[in-house]
Amino acid sequence: MELVCPAGTPAALRAAIGAGADAVYCGFSDETNARNFPGLNFSREEMGESIAYAHAEKAKVLVAINTFPRAGATAIWRRAVDDAVDLGADALIVADIGLLDYVARTHPHQRLHLSVQAAAANPDSIQFYVDNFAVRRVVLPRVLSVAEIAAINLDASCETEVFVFGGLCVMAEGRCSLSSYATGQSPNMHGVCSPASHVSYRQEGDALVSRLGDFTINRFAADEPAPYPTLCKGRFSTKSGSGYIFEDPASLDAAALLPALRDAGVTALKIEGRQRSRAYIEGVVRAFREALEALDSGRPIVTSGLARMTEGQTTTSGAYRKSWR
Amino acid sequence: MLRSRPPVAPPLVRLALAPLPLAPLQPLLALCLNAIVGRHPNLFDRLGAHAGKRIGLNPTDLPFSFVLVPRRARPAIRAVRRLPPDLDANISGPFAGLIGLIDGAYDGDALVFSRDLLVEGDMEAVLALRNAIDNAEIDFVGEAAASLGVLAGPAQVIVRALRRAHRSAPSSQRTTRRAWS
């Protein structure tokens, strides 16, 4: 299986490749991708240099243009597509039907991957994208069990890519309004969930309080991990007590499921975290490269220590094992 | 293998450094910062509108803090006994953790999640600074120490000794990458 790794800077891209990435996904420094954070991402010049570097190392670069173009501003997204093609991107990761259509018509030979943001979660939906836009790979939403992924692979006429590590969302992928409600900016249109401009941490006595806009998201005791304040992973007070109503701040770690994902016919494994540092990328990518080597040689898979890199300092196998069913 | 949590300097270090005057430290800090910016002239380009903001760096295991003003022209850093209240943002944590953010030894998000690091104030400015520094691939110990002339050797020995136990050797693995059909 191919290892697809994140990079938010050229240095992170080099770190990912050095640690064993087969492919690196990244985006331009604007709202055309879903990690539009300050100081992050690639200028056109940096993207060109990074693609050249990756190709020299026999790695691929997938350019994420996976937010949804705003009415009246579609030229920004189309320009990103044209530039990524001109710079030699190995594939574009796109979610919006209109933009997929633009790529298919304007750059018919450009390899297209369907972003997780498109939320294509069954064979008929996937086939629609294959038939109409010649999509070669679909990144599956993080709501499917391994058995469902296997069923999709039996029918799908394109490759599938699944997340194996990193942050999780409860949203129907591609459509979340929680961040917009709290801050006016959305992950889908502006490329940023819970923008840093609206985030604050404040020490109040022994407690650390995290806020997003006007909302208190969490209050942590001294010995508790402090995840990033998103509404979906906030701690809510209700009549029956306080707790994580929508989602625990646990991150995905599917290393133990690599044999099952391989048997399910998955082509590529994706690590989340373009907003993270070189240290995260180097450490997580190396751990999964070693896990894949262990898988190939029949050795036990061990990725201890990765929980320390995660939001809630704890991990889950997410929907891959739907133990609640 | 991933790096463990940053070490905290023993209280004795704090006690020993507390009486020392800060005045001799200021030109050395300026020397180090200018040397690093000289080696990485594009270091602060990623800051955009956040260039020139005043960021407090508070090593919680040392008896003094730093105020950094990151900008392409005339960046500044100075040591202070106590951080002024009007800074744009403060980053607090063990000295080794703060250094580790600069040279890529630690992941800043993970240190915030684990409470080893506390960021207060303008989160955008801190994120932009973190991303700018992370992309620069700075060998902080080597570059800063080199700027200190005759003090370079002892400075490197002290800082590297503090961190040696926590450093994991990167493996030299290479990988055979897969081709697409």
Side-chain angles (χ1 to χ4, degrees):
Chain A
M1 288 180 286
E2 182 181 315
L3 191 55
V4 181
C5 306
T9 63
L13 176 139
R14 292 190 292 272
I17 291 172
D22 293 304
V24 178
Y25 66 104
C26 47
F28 291 122
S29 304
D30 57 32
E31 66 266 53
T32 61
N33 74 91
R35 289 290 183 277
N36 182 22
F37 288 101
L40 204 68
N41 292 320
F42 293 62
S43 67
R44 264 53 175 180
E45 184 183 3
E46 288 171 336
M47 188 67 83
E49 292 168 355
S50 296
I51 289 172
Y53 174 86
H55 289 172
E57 295 289 315
K58 303 197 183 324
K60 301 178 186 71
V61 176
L62 323 180
V63 178
I65 308 173
N66 59 345
T67 46
F68 294 82
R70 290 193 310 279
T74 52
I76 298 171
W77 278 261
R78 291 185 176 193
R79 194 162 56 244
V81 165
D82 296 340
D83 290 346
V85 173
D86 287 347
L87 292 168
D90 295 284
L92 307 187
I93 307 171
V94 178
D96 180 71
I97 287 179
L99 201 62
L100 284 161
D101 181 61
Y102 175 77
V103 179
R105 283 189 294 103
T106 314
H107 307 286
H109 300 298
Q110 177 64 52
R111 185 179 172 102
L112 257 179
H113 292 184
L114 187 67
S115 169
V116 67
Q117 302 282 326
N122 61 65
D124 290 342
S125 173
I126 292 167
Q127 198 59 42
F128 172 83
Y129 290 101
V130 173
D131 290 344
N132 288 280
F133 311 118
V135 161
R136 304 279 295 278
R137 178 182 298 179
V138 56
V139 185
L140 294 176
R142 289 161 281 191
V143 296
L144 299 167
S145 67
V146 173
E148 289 165 333
I149 292 169
I152 283 173
N153 279 325
L154 280 178
D155 283 340
S157 59
C158 70
E159 301 168 353
T160 56
E161 179 174 308
V162 299
F163 281 90
V164 288
F165 192 85
L168 284 170
C169 286
V170 290
M171 68 174 175
E173 307 261 20
R175 291 287 183 268
C176 178
S177 298
L178 289 174
S179 175
S180 302
Y181 178 70
T183 72
Q185 294 191 53
S186 93
N188 315 123
M189 308 293 277
H190 304 92
V192 58
C193 169
S194 307
S197 53
H198 292 67
V199 165
S200 69
Y201 291 94
R202 190 187 307 178
Q203 196 72 42
E204 294 184 3
D206 289 339
L208 178 67
V209 177
S210 65
R211 293 177 64 81
L212 179 67
D214 295 332
F215 296 88
T216 296
I217 301 296
N218 217 328
R219 179 181 292 269
F220 307 103
D223 57 347
E224 280 188 298
Y228 193 79
T230 56
L231 271 178
C232 56
K233 292 171 187 161
R235 188 147 43 185
F236 293 82
S237 294
T238 70
K239 287 178 182 172
S240 53
S242 72
Y244 295 102
I245 302 291
F246 293 117
E247 183 181 13
D248 285 307
S251 294
L252 177 68
D253 182 358
L257 295 172
L258 293 185
L261 292 170
R262 177 194 57 190
D263 295 345
V266 166
T267 298
L269 307 171
K270 185 167 212 157
I271 294 169
E272 186 273 347
R274 282 194 286 135
Q275 74 281 18
R276 302 291 292 270
S277 70
R278 283 184 290 133
Y280 166 94
I281 288 168
E282 207 273 344
V284 177
V285 173
R286 192 175 299 285
F288 271 87
R289 170 53 59 197
E290 289 171 357
L292 281 173
E293 287 174 355
L295 178 68
D296 289 344
S297 59
R299 288 181 282 120
I301 293 171
V302 180
T303 57
S304 60
L306 290 183
R308 275 214 65 254
M309 304 298 270
T310 64
E311 262 203 298
Q313 307 280 282
T314 181
T315 59
T316 171
S317 56
Y320 292 139
R321 282 182 181 143
K322 291 184 176 172
S323 54
W324 58 89
R325 280 188 173 174
Chain B
M1 187 176 158
L2 297 173
R3 198 69 47 86
S4 58
R5 295 172 74 167
V8 178
L12 196 61
V13 172
R14 188 182 179 92
L15 281 173
L17 293 178
L20 298 180
L22 295 184
L25 198 55
Q26 312 295 10
L28 297 179
L29 288 170
L31 210 59
C32 289
L33 179 62
N34 288 330
I36 289 171
V37 174
R39 278 174 178 263
H40 307 272
N42 303 324
L43 172 59
F44 296 131
D45 286 1
R46 285 179 174 267
L47 289 177
H50 302 291
K53 289 191 174 173
R54 299 167 72 224
I55 312 292
L57 307 173
N58 174 27
T60 48
D61 48 359
L62 295 184
F64 45 81
S65 301
F66 306 94
V67 176
L68 172 69
V69 185
R71 58 192 169 207
R72 191 181 179 104
R74 292 181 296 106
I77 188 167
R78 66 187 173 91
V80 293
R81 291 284 175 208
R82 185 182 294 267
L83 288 174
D86 60 343
L87 298 176
D88 292 291
N90 294 334
I91 310 172
S92 303
F95 181 66
L98 296 174
I99 299 297
L101 291 183
I102 298 173
D103 63 15
Y106 296 105
D107 176 66
D109 289 27
L111 294 188
V112 169
F113 299 152
S114 65
R115 307 286 294 276
D116 288 298
L117 217 62
L118 174 64
V119 177
E120 296 173 291
D122 188 337
M123 190 66 66
E124 265 202 321
V126 172
L127 259 188
L129 179 63
R130 190 281 305 265
N131 291 331
I133 288 174
D134 199 53
N135 186 52
E137 298 177 300
I138 298 167
D139 170 14
F140 178 79
V141 176
E143 294 178 31
S147 70
L148 298 178
V150 294
L151 297 175
Q156 286 203 41
V157 168
I158 291 168
V159 180
R160 290 210 158 109
L162 182 67
R163 297 174 54 186
R164 190 170 299 124
H166 302 270
R167 190 178 293 276
S168 59
S171 83
S172 56
Q173 69 176 19
R174 301 297 296 169
T175 186
T176 304
R177 303 184 205 284
R178 292 164 191 276
W180 281 344
S181 55

